[in-house]
Amino acid sequence: VGDCSIDLEKIKKENCYDFRYHNTNINLINRFIGDIKKIFGLDLSVKVAKPIAGHLPRHYVRVPAIIGRLISILFPQVVNKNAVKIDIMFYPEFIGALFDDEGHCSKTEQKLFISNTNFSLLEDTKKMLFSLGISAILDKKQFKLYIRGKENLQKFLEKILIYSIEKKQRLIDNLSK
């Protein structure tokens, strides 16, 4: 959903399913590889993207076309970059994965945000958070979904599954102030 992509133009023009996941965080890449291994039994390898001056090194994984084709058929919302309609019991993991990938927790203010240019995804995430008792504000000018205030941050920490150790620790430190 976050840094995963399926090239719609290639699908339309060439019937080619170019499916990949890219990130600067190697732990998220390895988690993605583990998920694909669990679901499809495939071993994938990590590649390093061409360096860009002033940017962190980016890693990526290419997923075989057949898997991209299956995902696009089973989950068309993924191809259209919308939040997949999931059961409420999976909201904490979905939101946590999105935060691990696209989120940031402030060191100085009691706030965190998830940044993404897909407003439908952010709006769906806001509704998911609301159903979990967490208030959020969508700022379309900044492409961010904000969660502010100690009470909301505490609920986020308690209810959302955050795998990024650095982000979870920053949130805990923020709440300790």
Side-chain angles (χ1 to χ4, degrees):
V1 170
D3 291 323
C4 186
S5 64
I6 298 177
D7 190 331
L8 285 175
E9 291 305 312
K10 277 192 175 182
I11 292 172
K12 288 176 187 171
K13 288 180 182 174
E14 305 168 24
N15 197 28
C16 174
Y17 289 75
D18 185 10
F19 178 34
R20 62 184 80 197
Y21 177 69
H22 45 91
N23 207 296
T24 57
N25 185 331
I26 192 68
N27 295 322
L28 294 178
I29 293 282
N30 288 329
R31 183 171 161 207
F32 177 81
I33 288 172
D35 289 345
I36 294 293
K37 172 81 173 171
K38 265 191 268 183
I39 295 167
F40 298 104
L42 293 174
D43 290 313
L44 302 175
S45 58
V46 178
K47 297 179 170 97
V48 179
K50 194 176 181 178
I52 300 172
H55 290 254
L56 293 171
R58 268 187 343 156
H59 306 83
Y60 72 96
V61 177
R62 289 188 89 161
V63 180
I66 188 66
I67 303 303
R69 188 180 296 266
L70 286 171
I71 289 171
S72 70
I73 291 166
L74 296 172
F75 305 105
Q77 308 94 321
V78 173
V79 177
N80 296 323
K81 298 281 188 182
N82 294 324
V84 179
K85 303 304 178 215
I86 56 175
D87 190 274
I88 191 169
M89 68 185 274
F90 298 113
Y91 286 5
E93 182 130 12
F94 179 88
I95 296 166
L98 190 58
F99 178 72
D100 283 344
D101 198 20
E102 305 284 349
H104 175 75
C105 183
S106 174
K107 290 180 182 179
T108 57
E109 298 176 62
Q110 289 195 324
K111 71 177 180 183
L112 62 82
F113 63 82
I114 297 170
S115 181
N116 198 293
T117 56
N118 181 341
F119 293 121
S120 295
L121 174 64
L122 293 176
E123 286 170 344
D124 287 347
T125 305
K126 180 180 176 181
K127 291 174 190 171
M128 290 179 203
L129 287 163
F130 182 77
S131 70
L132 296 172
I134 302 168
S135 296
I137 298 166
L138 182 57
D139 185 331
K140 289 188 176 185
K141 290 180 183 174
Q142 294 186 356
F143 303 98
K144 293 178 182 174
L145 180 65
Y146 284 98
I147 297 152
R148 292 188 168 111
K150 190 167 189 161
E151 185 179 324
N152 283 313
L153 292 178
Q154 185 67 44
K155 287 178 187 177
F156 191 89
L157 179 63
E158 291 169 1
K159 295 180 179 186
I160 304 302
L161 300 173
I162 305 168
Y163 288 97
S164 170
I165 294 167
E166 296 86 7
K167 290 180 183 183
K168 190 171 196 169
Q169 188 60 55
R170 190 176 298 146
L171 180 55
I172 291 167
D173 292 346
N174 187 312
L175 285 166
S176 299
K177 295 178 183 180

